[in-house]
Amino acid sequence: MIDAKPTLIVRNATPNDIPNILRLCLKVYDEKLSYTSDQVRGHMNVFPKGQFVAVYQDAVVGYCATFRTDEATAFHSHTWAEITGGGYASRHDPDGDWLYGMEVCVDSGHRGLRIGQRLYNARKALAVGLNLKGIVFGGRIPGLARRWRSVGSAEAYVEAVADKRLRDTVLSFQLRNGFELHGILPKYLPFDKESKGYAAHLVWRNARRTESRLLTTQQRGQLPDTVRIGVIQYQQRRIASFEEFRQQVEYFIDALANYKADFAVLPELFSLQLLSIENEQIPAREAIARLTQYTEQLKKMLSELAVNYNINIIGGSHPTRGENDSIQNVCYICLRDGSIHSQAKIHPTPNERYWWNIQGGSELSVIMTDCGPIGVNICYDCEFPELARHLVDQGMLMLFVPFCTDERKSYLRVRYCGQARAVENQCYVILAGNVGNLPKVDNMDIQYAQSCILSPCDFPFARDGVAADTTPNVEMVALADLRLDILAQARRSGTVQNLKDRRFDLYSVSWLPSFAALPDLP
């Protein structure tokens, strides 16, 4: 008989680890300083190879976050918030030749297991494996405040620690592990009172690096070069049954699948067509409540179509009953691997609130697909730039905007804002809207749409920033091939570099975490 021994492994973090990583961070830091699920998801989306967890007897007891950066950025004076993009690792440069150490977090109850050293070794192995120049980061110096009167400055303190005249619990450990002092980073973590806000600027150089050309992101097999998008400009018309509704939707999914599209995009509230089955005037709030009864049936239909036709479906949106009997406007994203994701509309319009009593959602996260990380802003949400910026901080490359607008002015608000989101976030934005009419459905009696696929405005993209669009108010589809490699190139070295040039020293988007949503441990 062989006795089971405790196991300790270090491996790449996965999305399934996020709840346990959050619990670890909450244990080590207080709520104000801990990460949010969106931030940790952002780390994994932008650089999955660079995130590690230490697992001891099936419990996450350590977390390590890294990203790649260029040499000039790595060695220029910076704060933690500036270089990490507000904690999302959103300034990750896929072709950067230095690995930046953003976080090492260890459960204090397991410090005797040398978890920190194991995580640092994983970082070093990653830097060697990717043929990078080395590792850079800002390290805490928690003994500084205690010794301030005797040393007089942060520079004098780290020099004394380097000469072994003083001992610092963190810096001494870093120096023993082969890191060298490059300098001091003032105001690196202003809330770190023990370090008086300072950090030691540390570097580890990869002695095994060769000058061979680094592989591109696509050569490393992370993402496809091209993604084919199919937008469905869907006509609202009377139907007699759910089966007839399915036949109409399936017709378009089948057509786009024949064109080998990776995504099929349906409009916001396209399922209101189901209210025409009974063909009677129903009070607005009663009608929306009745429509929620189709939620599970709709999700099942979209998921079956996604799997059967091997296509990812952005399922427009559908009124869905949630907590406390409230109703939200929810987009169901059904991927061809059979998984179903959801995104509630954050900002209901005044009409939605008045006529249908629609309530806004409170969570906004990217969704990882086989074509890279995507985000969804339902119609009005696109008019709030903070939302798209929050998604791009998590690694989003394509923003899908199902919309439903009654006339041209309303449509243009969404269209112009969609184009702005594409420019300022250097991402693709895809709009899909309804046409036709439903005479006996309040707030859906007329429609205006010109669906489109938008790009940033720079030399590698379509001249007007429009990869494809439709004829206004005509039921049809639009197709476009979107190059993800060109998107990465524009972010890195375009005429303008909006994401790279953000002033994190002046502003950032901060999403308030909801720790109550964290599930309890079994």
Side-chain angles (χ1 to χ4, degrees):
M1 179 177 179
I2 300 175
D3 293 334
K5 295 182 179 179
T7 58
L8 174 58
I9 61 170
V10 173
R11 59 166 172 79
N12 282 118
T14 70
N16 290 335
D17 294 317
I18 291 177
N20 291 320
I21 292 171
L22 295 181
R23 290 190 190 94
L24 172 66
C25 293
L26 283 170
K27 186 175 182 180
V28 175
Y29 309 115
D30 63 35
E31 289 188 4
K32 292 182 180 178
L33 304 181
S34 184
Y35 290 98
T36 67
S37 59
D38 289 338
Q39 287 174 320
V40 178
R41 192 176 293 107
H43 306 168
M44 298 179 190
N45 284 335
V46 300
F47 189 34
K49 289 183 178 180
Q51 322 311 321
F52 301 95
V53 288
V55 181
Y56 180 65
Q57 292 181 305
D58 298 325
V60 172
V61 295
Y63 177 58
C64 173
T66 69
F67 58 91
R68 292 175 65 166
T69 187
D70 62 274
E71 185 162 316
T73 301
F75 288 96
H76 190 270
S77 182
H78 57 265
T79 69
W80 182 87
E82 290 168 7
I83 200 161
T84 67
Y88 288 88
S90 58
R91 297 187 70 183
H92 168 69
D93 180 353
D95 294 322
D97 47 13
W98 287 88
L99 191 68
Y100 195 90
M102 174 177 168
E103 175 67 62
V104 169
C105 180
V106 176
D107 188 331
S108 59
H110 298 84
R111 291 197 183 277
L113 300 176
R114 299 186 179 181
I115 295 167
Q117 186 173 21
R118 295 170 191 259
L119 292 171
Y120 278 100
N121 289 342
R123 275 184 180 170
K124 291 177 182 178
L126 177 64
V128 171
L130 293 176
N131 198 34
L132 304 183
K133 291 183 177 180
I135 304 170
V136 182
F137 67 96
R140 295 184 64 239
I141 40 179
L144 177 60
R146 242 180 339 106
R147 303 272 190 172
W148 185 260
R149 288 188 179 181
S150 60
V151 297
S153 69
E155 289 80 2
Y157 177 77
V158 298
E159 184 178 335
V161 174
D163 292 341
K164 299 183 180 179
R165 290 181 282 113
L166 293 175
R167 183 179 179 279
D168 184 275
T169 55
V170 176
L171 180 56
S172 297
F173 168 80
Q174 311 287 10
L175 297 175
R176 285 198 307 272
N177 277 275
F179 287 88
E180 306 168 4
L181 274 169
H182 177 71
I184 293 293
L185 296 168
K187 301 179 181 178
Y188 186 75
L189 289 170
F191 50 79
D192 184 359
K193 295 181 180 179
E194 290 181 319
S195 305
K196 295 184 74 68
Y198 290 94
H201 202 172
L202 295 162
V203 58
W204 174 83
R205 301 182 189 278
N206 177 16
R208 297 167 59 184
R209 173 179 165 88
T210 65
E211 293 303 320
S212 60
R213 183 177 177 271
L214 296 177
L215 295 177
T216 66
T217 302
Q218 283 68 39
Q219 286 171 324
R220 289 194 296 271
Q222 292 181 12
L223 295 174
D225 281 344
T226 303
V227 177
R228 179 163 293 176
I229 305 291
V231 171
I232 301 168
Q233 189 156 282
Y234 189 83
Q235 182 171 333
Q236 294 291 329
R237 57 169 75 83
R238 185 185 171 189
I239 54 175
S241 65
F242 187 90
E243 182 56 35
E244 184 179 351
F245 172 71
R246 180 188 175 111
Q247 289 172 1
Q248 289 189 12
V249 175
E250 186 169 7
Y251 168 83
F252 287 107
I253 301 301
D254 184 12
L256 291 177
N258 286 337
Y259 280 91
K260 295 181 170 56
D262 295 294
F263 287 91
V265 192
L266 287 157
E268 178 188 24
L269 295 173
F270 78 106
S271 62
L272 262 71
Q273 186 179 29
L274 294 168
L275 291 177
S276 69
I277 293 174
E278 298 179 25
N279 195 32
E280 61 182 70
Q281 193 80 38
I282 306 172
R285 294 195 182 191
E286 180 184 334
I288 287 298
R290 188 176 299 184
L291 197 59
T292 64
Q293 299 171 10
Y294 288 99
T295 299
E296 294 306 315
Q297 200 173 354
L298 178 75
K299 288 165 61 177
K300 182 175 183 291
M301 178 194 82
L302 293 176
S303 184
E304 287 177 350
L305 294 176
V307 173
N308 293 345
Y309 288 96
N310 190 31
I311 191 170
N312 300 308
I313 298 177
I314 309 299
S317 75
H318 175 76
T320 299
R321 198 172 292 281
E323 296 180 359
N324 303 319
D325 215 31
S326 63
I327 296 176
Q328 293 184 333
N329 188 0
V330 178
C331 176
Y332 293 102
I333 301 94
C334 297
L335 303 183
R336 51 188 164 196
D337 64 5
S339 62
I340 302 176
H341 306 263
S342 63
Q343 177 59 61
K345 191 173 188 176
I346 304 298
H347 301 93
T349 62
N351 270 350
E352 285 177 282
R353 295 195 302 269
Y354 176 78
W355 288 101
W356 295 333
N357 196 30
I358 296 287
Q359 306 295 308
S362 59
E363 296 184 7
L364 184 69
S365 300
V366 295
I367 298 160
M368 180 53 74
T369 74
D370 56 359
C371 299
I374 67 167
V376 174
N377 278 179
I378 301 174
C379 197
Y380 193 32
D381 281 348
C382 186
E383 299 177 31
F384 295 83
E386 299 88 350
L387 301 191
R389 181 55 52 88
H390 179 58
L391 289 168
V392 85
D393 278 343
Q394 298 174 53
M396 178 190 72
L397 299 175
M398 295 176 286
L399 177 64
F400 291 91
V401 183
F403 72 91
C404 178
T405 51
D406 55 355
E407 47 88 41
R408 191 168 184 270
K409 293 183 181 65
S410 302
Y411 160 72
L412 288 176
R413 287 195 294 268
V414 181
R415 170 72 175 251
Y416 292 153
C417 288
Q419 189 72 73
R421 303 298 83 84
V423 170
E424 66 200 15
N425 293 296
Q426 293 184 287
C427 66
Y428 295 112
V429 179
I430 300 96
L431 279 67
N434 294 293
V435 297
N437 58 78
L438 292 173
K440 293 187 177 182
V441 179
D442 289 334
N443 209 31
M444 280 289 285
D445 40 7
I446 58 173
Q447 310 295 320
Y448 185 98
Q450 184 179 16
S451 304
C452 55
I453 302 169
L454 307 173
S455 73
C457 293
D458 208 344
F459 288 107
F461 305 102
R463 188 193 71 174
D464 299 320
V466 182
D469 59 7
T470 63
T471 302
N473 287 346
V474 175
E475 185 172 58
M476 61 179 296
V477 300
L479 286 155
D481 286 341
L482 303 184
R483 294 282 301 275
L484 299 185
D485 55 342
I486 289 177
L487 196 65
Q489 176 188 339
R491 289 181 171 187
R492 184 171 59 251
S493 56
T495 306
V496 292
Q497 297 158 38
N498 303 67
L499 295 182
K500 197 173 181 181
D501 292 338
R502 286 181 289 171
R503 289 287 303 275
F504 285 99
D505 56 327
L506 298 179
Y507 57 83
S508 65
V509 174
S510 178
W511 196 271
L512 298 179
S514 176
F515 293 104
L518 197 61
D520 294 330
L521 282 170

